[in-house]
Amino acid sequence: REVLPGIFSVNVAGSVDQEKIKSLFRNAVEFFLNPQPFSSISAMHAIEEILLLSSRISEKQMNLRDGRILKAIELLSGNFDKFIDIDSVSNKVGMSSSHFAHLFKEEVGETPMNFREGIRLKHAKQLIIGTNMSIKEIAEAVAYDCAFHFSKRFKVRLGISPKQFRQQM
């Protein structure tokens, strides 16, 4: 158990993922305690990576019946700034597209593309809050070709437009 001074207590063990989480957590705290240009963005990226690694650890602990789905989650969670389709993910995990889509939904509770869109929109929220990027730039950063389509999907999933979200923050 390691205590970061006056901030949080973190339970750590010896796994590689947990050691990386500990290191990222220290980095995020350091970014917040010693503000520099873009440090809030760097801290958010560290926190996002912590959450992704934490979810990967909890996925392992849940003992997904099929390890290929865990690999797919890692593929869908990474490179959220690039377009990825179900065929490329299913090929990388060695399954047909239809079997992959069915098994993913069965084990994760949502379709692979809905899962992927959730990751992209979470990152978009961070960019809206932490940067002065335009909505068009943010749309491009999270692999949407069209700012209008991005805004529409953002509003459908979150109940508010990206512009309104930024104004509220």
Side-chain angles (χ1 to χ4, degrees), residues 1 8 14 16 29 31 42 44 48 53 65 87 91 93 103 107 118 129 131 137 139 155 159 162:
R1 185 175 179 96
F8 294 101
V16 172
V29 170
F31 289 132
S42 298
M44 285 190 299
E48 180 178 20
L53 285 169
R65 289 179 296 224
D87 290 331
N91 285 338
V93 298
L103 188 59
E107 294 218 10
I129 293 168
T131 72
E137 291 170 323
K155 187 167 186 173

Side-chain angles (χ1 to χ4, degrees), residues 43-62:
M44 285 190 299
H45 286 293
I47 291 168
E48 180 178 20
E49 195 168 346
I50 289 168
L51 294 173
L52 290 172
L53 285 169
S54 297
S55 71
R56 193 165 67 187
I57 291 169
S58 63
E59 298 287 346
K60 289 176 185 174
Q61 291 170 343
M62 287 183 353

Side-chain angles (χ1 to χ4, degrees), residues 41-126:
I41 296 169
S42 298
M44 285 190 299
H45 286 293
I47 291 168
E48 180 178 20
E49 195 168 346
I50 289 168
L51 294 173
L52 290 172
L53 285 169
S54 297
S55 71
R56 193 165 67 187
I57 291 169
S58 63
E59 298 287 346
K60 289 176 185 174
Q61 291 170 343
M62 287 183 353
N63 292 325
L64 292 174
R65 289 179 296 224
D66 195 316
R68 296 173 294 183
I69 298 303
L70 182 57
K71 182 176 179 184
I73 288 170
E74 291 175 10
L75 291 168
L76 292 167
S77 297
N79 299 317
F80 46 79
D81 57 338
K82 294 182 178 90
F83 176 77
I84 190 169
D85 64 10
I86 196 166
D87 290 331
S88 64
V89 176
S90 63
N91 285 338
K92 288 179 182 175
V93 298
M95 300 170 76
S96 72
S97 296
S98 60
H99 181 64
F100 166 69
H102 174 76
L103 188 59
F104 190 95
K105 182 161 185 169
E106 184 179 296
E107 294 218 10
V108 177
E110 63 183 325
T111 67
M113 293 302 108
N114 278 344
F115 177 84
R116 171 84 170 157
E117 183 176 60
I119 298 282
R120 291 163 64 200
L121 293 177
K122 284 177 191 174
H123 184 63
K125 284 174 30 180
Q126 291 176 344

Side-chain angles (χ1 to χ4, degrees), residues 152-165:
K152 186 176 176 182
R153 293 304 306 156
F154 191 97
K155 187 167 186 173
V156 166
R157 295 277 298 237
L158 302 168
I160 188 171
S161 73
K163 183 179 177 181
Q164 293 168 326
F165 182 78

